[in-house]
Amino acid sequence: MNSFRFYNPTALYYGKGQIEKHLASEVKRYGTKVLLVYGGGSIKRNGLYDKVTGILKEAGVQWLELSGVEPNPRLTTVRRGIETCRSEGVDLILAVGGGSVIDCSKAIAMGTKFEGDVWDIYQRKAKATGALPLGTILTLAATGSEMNSGGVISNWDTKEKLGGGSPYTFPQFSFCDAENTFTVPKDQTIYGSCDMLAHCFEHYFHPTEHTSLQQRLIEGVISTIVETAPIAVESPTDYTARETMMYCSTMALNGMINMGVQGDWACHAMEHEISAIYDIPHGGGLAILFPHWMDYVVDENPARFAQLAERVFHVDPSGKSQREVALEGIQKVREFLVSIGAPTRLADYGIGADQLGRMAEQAVRFGPIGNFKKLGSQDVLRILESSL
Ligand code: NZQ
Ligand code: ZN
């Protein structure tokens, strides 16, 4: 494996009753003025807003609100949040929502402490210089943003969607109570499952040698997602399934299953180009791209694909070549995605061929993407074309 330093300072509160017990004391460690950030209203409809504000009120914590954070959060919303934090002297940002709300809050936290334009950090022209403290209450199992330092912001004017982050943007604390995901609609449950699965794949496919434990840890998370996602999709109030999926989402992208490994991440780079232009859900885009990427790169290391096929999808290798086993495994990935209702083609979102060239160029704007196989713009174009 590669040499590594592991750092993850987020305090995680998992399970029922943790918000009631610990939210007030966690918030008060950072001050008494909070910016409460949330999305389009799901937390008002399911009662979480009342619960959280009730706790803040009782604790004597003053709060301001930034609501309406969009799925695929916009730079304009980030800028509004930064203005509020600066003018009001906010002590802590409290993000209550899914990955979009948390990512928007991370950008606000960084931007408030940055003298220049926060977008420069996402464009890799500058590095963050600090961040306001951030706490989260997760309402959707998908991104892992509750326990990592990354975030993805969309600039709607330039049609760019870029990831960024810094050691300053780990949440200080995150509350993960699976009951808060009971109201996540079926489609978002499917997308979230695809996203966490995709994070596992990104970590699984790389050229680094001697990573047998990492591979087995990742296979464990993938197997659990494959077993549990169908239950969460069909039975949204099944606590055990929701909790298991939440834990999978956190583990898939908090750095713990992939230490010493530099993953691939080409599919994420490609997906961000699609949602930058078409504003589609991230997990839906990944579900479409991943099988096509797998077809395209399988010959880089068929043994890794065959291992996934055998260990996770129980493909019987007898009498088959390694490549045949690998391809059967990719077919199983496809079948799983279809079985939970994930989209399979760009056409499912009404996306045609007209912007593919632009997306392919943009995807490699910082250089070739991918680590399992390095992809240039022509490779990206081929994968996008096969996804139509
Ligand atoms: O806005 P509200 O009303 O809250 O509704 C949201 C939104 O419409 C709804 N929702 C969330 N929790 C709910 C709920 N509805 C009912 N009940 C609940 N409990 O779900 C919709 C989607 O929410 P969103 O936050 O956009 O979803 P997700 O968590 O999948 O986040 C997606 C964003 O995260 C980025 C993606 O690119 C995308 O912008 N990512 C962030 C990563 C990170 N920070 O580490 C990594 C990922 O790879 C990803 O790129
Ligand atoms: Zn993702």
Side-chain angles (χ1 to χ4, degrees), residues 226-244:
V226 168
E227 190 176 281
T228 316
I231 306 169
V233 168
E234 288 311 319
S235 313
T237 57
D238 183 316
Y239 182 80
T240 310
R242 287 293 201 182
E243 182 178 60
T244 303

Side-chain angles (χ1 to χ4, degrees), residues 176-198:
C176 304
D177 176 346
E179 278 184 347
N180 292 328
T181 67
F182 281 2
T183 52
V184 173
K186 188 170 185 168
D187 59 347
Q188 292 295 340
T189 305
I190 296 167
Y191 301 143
S193 307
C194 297
D195 191 22
M196 57 184 100
L197 183 65

